[in-house]
Each structure stands twice: as C-alpha cells, then as structure tokens.
C-alpha cells in the first residue's frame, strides 16, 4: 500500500547507514588503497586488529569475500576443511571453496550450529598419510541457519584446540560475532584469541552499507591482500566505505542488545499465535525462525507482506525474521499482529500419506 511504513524483517542486511556514517563518509581522508595509501582504510584495519587482539586486518567488500579469501589463505588445493553442514560457507557461497581454493568440505551436522566435539575429534584422528590433509576447522558464530545461535566460548576453544592438536588451523566466520559477544557478554577478542583468523561484517546488524574485516597474523593478512586483489576486491578510495564501517564498529555494537530483546518479544508473540512454531528460549540473538509444517507458508508470508511486514520464506515450511535497527518495538508489535492474523486465516495444507 502506498505510504505504508514497512517493517523490514527479512535480514539485518537491509539496515541503512546512519546520518553519522554518511557524514563520516563525506569527511573521510582518502587515498588509493590498492597502493596501500588510504589513511581511513589503514586506520580502520589497525583499529579492528587492536579491538580483536590480532596482528593485522584487511577490509574486504563482503562477508563472502572475507570467508573465501581466508579459506584460500589458510589452505592448499586438495586439503580438507571441517565445517558444520549448514554453515554459510557451505550453503550460500555457490561452491566457492571448491572453485576458488580447491578444497573439500568435510561436513558434520551440529545441533545449534556447534560442531560436535566428538565428531571433530574422530575426523581429525582418522586422518593419516593416505587421507587428504585436514588443514582447517571452520566455525560460524553466531550460526545463522540454526537461528542465530551463539557458539559458547568454551566450545569454540575446545574445537580450536582439537584443530591445533591435529596440525590444522582454526577459523571463525564471525559475520555476526558482535551479536554473539553482546548476547554472551564475552568480548570479541576472547573469541578471536582461540582461532588463527576470523572475519566479521560491518554491513549486517551494525548498519554500515558495505564491508567486512578479515583478521589474523601479519603474514596471513599479507597473503590475503594478494588473494583479495586476485578476486577483484582491491578497491581504490575505499576509505569512503571504511569511514562508515568505523562509525558502525564504534557506535552500533551496544544497541544490538535492543535487537536481541525485540527478537525475544517477536518469538514470544509468534509462539502465542502459533504454538510450537518457535521456541523463544532458543532465540539468543536477532534471528527468529518459525517452522510451520502443514501450513501454507507462502500464503502466510504474502498476507504479512500485504500488511507491510516483510519476512522471508525459507523453503516450504519455514519463515525467518531478523530484527534490526530499522524496526522498533511498535514495528515488532505490528509484525506479531500481522502474523497472528495470517496464521489464523491460512488454511492447513493437506499432507499426503
Ligand atoms: C554467517 C554468514 N557468513 C557470511 C555471510 C556473507 O556475507 P555477505 O552477504 O556480506 O557476503 C553471511 C551473510 O548473511 C552470513 O550470515
């Protein structure tokens, strides 16, 4: 409907830059970053390295490029990489690990997105001179497909120790590591201390328009810089984007708690409207997954869109809502009311057999 306020809950990637970010972009000191001469990029990389307790950082255009650059920098073609089977790198990067790095992903199903320690141990222990080399163990925190679950620090540590004991490296795809940190109270540098390298995104809940950061040793980042160039991710006056990213990391972290609280309220409202469709106690950060087997999910999503509430249908039985800075508590209440109306109206689907 024209003029209707939209409640955008499909993803936290829909967040738009704040006024302060735009002003910082306008004022940013710029140079050619492919020549290593953009002062704003250099300063952001140093700042993030310091924040995470790593030697160096590299600004990349996206979380996907951060992941794929790291993967290539940390492995050799033919190596094996252990990852949880629903990780972003497995499901949503279009086979890039095999195309770009020539690695084989060894997948393990992990409840709540956690790589099961026993399975990781067995996989590493079963490697010998006849098998491919397991060179990397990949964790994702928060874990998107499991509903934004936080991987606890002790778990990250245990898995990373197994990797290291087996001669492999450990990595965190921390696209939403600040959500994990705010929800758990664990500083990001504590997660970072357990692994050889990690990446995180400025362009999700933190609200910057573009960009991610890869962090690790200076040696790794030197290698990653060449790979980024190979992938076409070297950018010229990139300080323009880094200026917004700097505001994101400096000013937008603490408010993630508000998104988490909104997600909990949303989950409770959805659970009241459709009992059993969501477990509010499993909502730890900003993601709410609603499972509606036997219901016409497309009709429910269409009805919510007609109310101006944008949620995403993920497959035939699942809906996703991700809270973010663009949606306040009134928007959350609108989403609950819209969902309640939609599930009330939608007819159950006959399930054959
Ligand atoms: C866990 C995780 N890693 C990586 C990415 C990729 O980020 P981008 O969309 O910036 O490539 C996403 C995007 O949603 C994600 O959820």
């Amino acid at each position: 409907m024209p003029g209707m306020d939209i409640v955008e809950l499909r993803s936290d990637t829909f967040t738009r830059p704040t006024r302060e970010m735009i002003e910082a972009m306008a004022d940013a000191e710029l140079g050619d970053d492919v020549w290593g001469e953009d002062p704003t990029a250099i300063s952001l990389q140093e700042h993030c390295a310091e924040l995470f307790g790593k030697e160096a950082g590299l600004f990349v255009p996206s979380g996907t490029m951060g992941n794929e650059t790291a993967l290539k920098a940390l492995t050799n073609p033919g190596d094996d990489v252990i990852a949880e089977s629903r990780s972003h790198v497995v499901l949503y990067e279009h086979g890039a690990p095999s195309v770009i790095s020539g690695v084989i992903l060894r997948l393990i199903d992990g409840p709540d997105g956690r790589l099961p320690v026993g399975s990781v141990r067995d996989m590493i222990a079963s490697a010998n001179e006849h098998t491919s080399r397991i060179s990397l163990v990949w964790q994702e925190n928060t874990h998107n497909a499991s509903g934004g679950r936080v991987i606890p620090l002790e778990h990250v540590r245990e898995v990373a120790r197994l990797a290291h004991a087996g001669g492999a490296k450990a990595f965190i795809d921390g696209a939403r590591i600040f959500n994990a940190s705010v929800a758990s109270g664990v500083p990001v540098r504590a997660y970072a201390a357990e692994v050889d390298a990690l990446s995180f995104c400025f362009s999700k809940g933190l609200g910057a328009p573009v960009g991610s950061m890869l962090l690790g040793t200076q040696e790794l980042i030197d290698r990653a810089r060449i790979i980024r160039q190979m992938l076409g991710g070297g950018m010229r006056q990139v300080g323009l984007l880094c200026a917004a990213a700097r505001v994101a990391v400096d000013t937008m972290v603490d408010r993630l708690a508000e998104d988490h609280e909104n997600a909990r309220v949303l989950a409770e409202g959805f659970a009241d409207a459709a009992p059993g469709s969501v477990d509010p106690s499993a909502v730890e950060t900003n993601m709410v997954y609603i499972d509606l087997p036997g219901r016409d999910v497309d009709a429910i999503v269409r009805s919510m869109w007609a109310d101006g509430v944008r949620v995403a249908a993920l497959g035939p039985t699942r809906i996703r809502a991700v809270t973010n800075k663009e949606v306040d508590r009134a928007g959350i209440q609108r989403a609950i009311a819209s969902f309640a109306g939609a599930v009330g109206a939608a007819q159950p689907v006959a399930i054959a057999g």
Side-chain angles (χ1 to χ4, degrees):
M1 252 175 270
M4 180 166 42
D5 275 348
I6 298 300
V7 176
E8 182 54 80
L9 290 167
R10 281 174 292 170
S11 177
D12 49 8
T13 56
F14 282 85
T15 46
R16 289 174 304 242
T18 60
R19 167 68 37 201
E20 195 182 342
M21 288 178 198
I22 289 168
E23 281 165 9
M25 291 171 84
D27 294 339
E29 228 188 301
L30 304 174
D32 188 330
D33 186 53
V34 176
W35 290 63
E37 291 180 18
D38 187 293
T40 310
I42 292 168
S43 151
L44 176 72
Q45 289 165 172
E46 288 175 357
H47 178 68
C48 293
E50 166 73 25
L51 195 62
F52 282 75
K54 290 294 188 203
E55 280 176 21
L58 186 71
F59 184 84
V60 287
S62 68
T64 300
M65 194 182 284
N67 283 349
E68 296 305 331
T69 302
L71 202 49
K72 194 163 179 61
L74 290 164
T75 62
N76 288 306
D79 287 352
D80 285 358
V81 174
I82 296 178
E84 200 285 324
S85 24
R86 292 169 306 153
S87 306
H88 193 279
V89 74
V90 175
L91 293 181
Y92 302 113
E93 299 185 15
H94 301 278
S98 56
V99 175
I100 296 171
S101 299
V103 296
I104 303 207
L105 295 176
R106 301 272 300 275
L107 306 184
I108 309 178
D109 287 341
D112 305 334
R114 297 179 200 185
L115 275 173
V117 169
S119 310
V120 175
R121 186 182 292 117
D122 291 350
M123 218 174 240
I124 289 177
S126 66
N128 59 42
E129 70 273 23
H130 304 293
T131 66
S132 344
R133 199 173 83 90
I134 297 172
S135 60
L136 184 62
V137 178
W138 188 276
Q139 302 186 73
E140 183 178 304
N141 202 6
T142 60
H143 188 274
N144 181 340
S146 68
R149 299 302 293 264
V150 176
I151 313 298
L153 179 62
E154 309 69 52
H155 191 89
V156 170
R157 179 178 298 142
E158 213 171 339
V159 169
R161 279 194 184 151
L162 285 173
H164 292 146
K169 296 269 198 293
F171 179 79
I172 297 176
D173 171 356
R176 296 182 181 81
I177 194 85
F178 283 105
N179 294 86
S181 171
V182 166
S184 63
V186 172
V188 287
R189 62 165 49 228
Y191 290 114
E194 302 301 333
V195 293
D196 301 279
L198 78 161
S199 59
F200 77 89
C201 296
F202 300 104
S203 59
K204 300 196 161 63
L206 301 185
V210 180
S212 290
M213 183 64 63
L214 176 61
L215 298 155
T217 60
Q218 186 65 57
E219 193 186 346
L220 178 85
I221 295 302
D222 289 347
R223 197 163 141 73
R225 196 175 170 86
I226 294 166
I227 296 166
R228 181 187 69 172
Q229 191 65 17
M230 181 194 291
L231 298 177
M235 295 182 284
R236 303 296 175 174
Q237 284 73 42
V238 74
L240 207 58
L241 303 176
C242 293
R246 178 63 186 260
V247 174
V249 84
D250 283 354
T251 70
M252 301 297 280
V253 170
D254 292 345
R255 67 149 308 285
L256 293 173
E258 204 180 302
D259 295 346
H260 299 173
E261 181 60 13
N262 279 340
R264 204 185 47 74
V265 171
L266 195 61
E268 282 167 1
F270 287 172
D272 280 348
S277 63
V278 49
D279 173 8
S281 70
V283 174
E284 295 175 330
T285 59
N286 66 335
M287 295 192 174
V288 183
Y289 283 79
I290 308 111
D291 289 305
L292 294 159
R295 305 300 299 255
D296 186 347
V297 161
D298 276 344
I300 292 168
V301 170
R302 267 201 311 278
S303 161
M304 293 178 76
W305 273 59
D307 291 339
V309 177
R310 294 186 178 166
V311 291
L314 293 191
T317 61
R318 176 168 265 204
I319 294 175
R320 185 178 84 163
V322 184
T323 55
N324 61 79
K325 78 175 181 67
E326 308 294 336
V327 180
D328 61 10
R329 187 57 64 85
I332 295 296
Q333 298 300 353
R334 255 181 72 195
I336 293 170
S338 170
F339 178 73
V343 284
Q347 296 303 311
V349 177
I351 300 178

